[in-house]
Amino acid sequence: RGVAASSFLVNIEMEKKQQVIQGRVVEVVSTDGASEEKKEEDARPAASRARAAAQYGRLRELEDLLESELNVNDRDDEGCTLLQWAAINNRGAVIEMLLAKGADPKASGGILDENALQWAVRQGHVAAVVSLREAGCEAGHKGVEGGNAVHLACRYGRHLALAYLLARDEVFFSPLDKKKKSEESPPPSGA
């Protein structure tokens, strides 16, 4: 054991190894074996850093990026908005901040051309579904696969999201259904 550990330390000393951790912290191991952490600027483009911040709920980092480098409705290389990334990852505080800063709740994107509400429904994030729908995210928007938010809730067994959407909106009921109900005569007196 002692020989293996010594050999390992010698290799570290010879290489003066550097390791990047999450693109933010660099650990430098010096030749004497001491380790120190240094903050370094993230080399990734601002859009990539913002997407990661929205995905992981790093609110302060995202706010800083939006104040200095990005527009709240910018899209990444996949055509997705920050609001969509926050929705699929159930980042409520990020969703609220983005909406307050003017994020377009009706924006759709990605390979499925779905909006943030559809992303939240797919994952069953009911709090995000409520926030997005109340902000004006379109429940009736159909993506590439032809499904709206209710279709997705049914397909993925997201019962609470489905119940909320059906209780909140009449958009899912055909005007013909309403007309038929109003034209029906009352049941006969003997029924």
Side-chain angles (χ1 to χ4, degrees), residues 32-168:
D32 64 359
S35 175
E36 58 186 68
E37 288 185 358
K38 295 182 180 178
K39 291 273 185 186
E40 278 199 2
E41 196 58 38
D42 195 334
R44 294 177 297 164
S48 294
R49 294 192 320 263
R51 179 172 83 175
Q55 287 175 313
Y56 296 105
R58 297 191 301 251
L59 190 61
R60 183 69 192 142
E61 179 183 355
L62 185 55
E63 286 175 327
D64 290 345
L65 286 164
L66 290 171
E67 287 174 13
S68 64
E69 300 181 52
L70 296 173
N71 179 295
V72 72
N73 289 307
D74 283 348
R75 295 175 181 271
D76 64 13
D77 55 349
E78 297 173 15
C80 302
T81 66
L82 296 171
L83 188 59
Q84 288 172 306
W85 286 112
I88 199 169
N89 289 289
N90 202 27
R91 304 299 179 189
V94 174
I95 291 169
E96 295 301 326
M97 182 271 293
L98 291 170
L99 290 169
K101 289 191 177 286
D104 181 4
K106 296 178 181 181
S108 61
I111 60 171
L112 296 175
D113 190 37
E114 291 181 345
N115 61 30
L117 177 65
Q118 290 167 299
W119 287 39
V121 166
R122 278 180 180 273
Q123 299 303 315
H125 300 317
V126 179
V129 167
V130 171
S131 293
L132 291 163
R133 187 65 193 106
E134 295 303 317
C137 203
E138 293 181 10
H141 172 78
K142 292 184 179 180
V144 171
E145 295 178 333
N148 63 30
V150 166
H151 296 129
L152 293 172
C154 292
R155 182 182 304 154
Y156 295 104
R158 307 305 186 194
H159 303 113
L160 292 176
L162 177 63
Y164 166 77
L165 291 168
L166 291 176
R168 186 192 186 283

Side-chain angles (χ1 to χ4, degrees), residues 166 169-170 172-187:
L166 291 176
D169 296 306
E170 291 188 21
F172 305 108
F173 299 103
S174 163
L176 294 176
D177 293 337
K178 289 181 191 175
K179 186 176 179 184
K180 285 180 188 174
K181 286 181 184 177
S182 65
E183 291 177 352
E184 289 176 359
S185 58

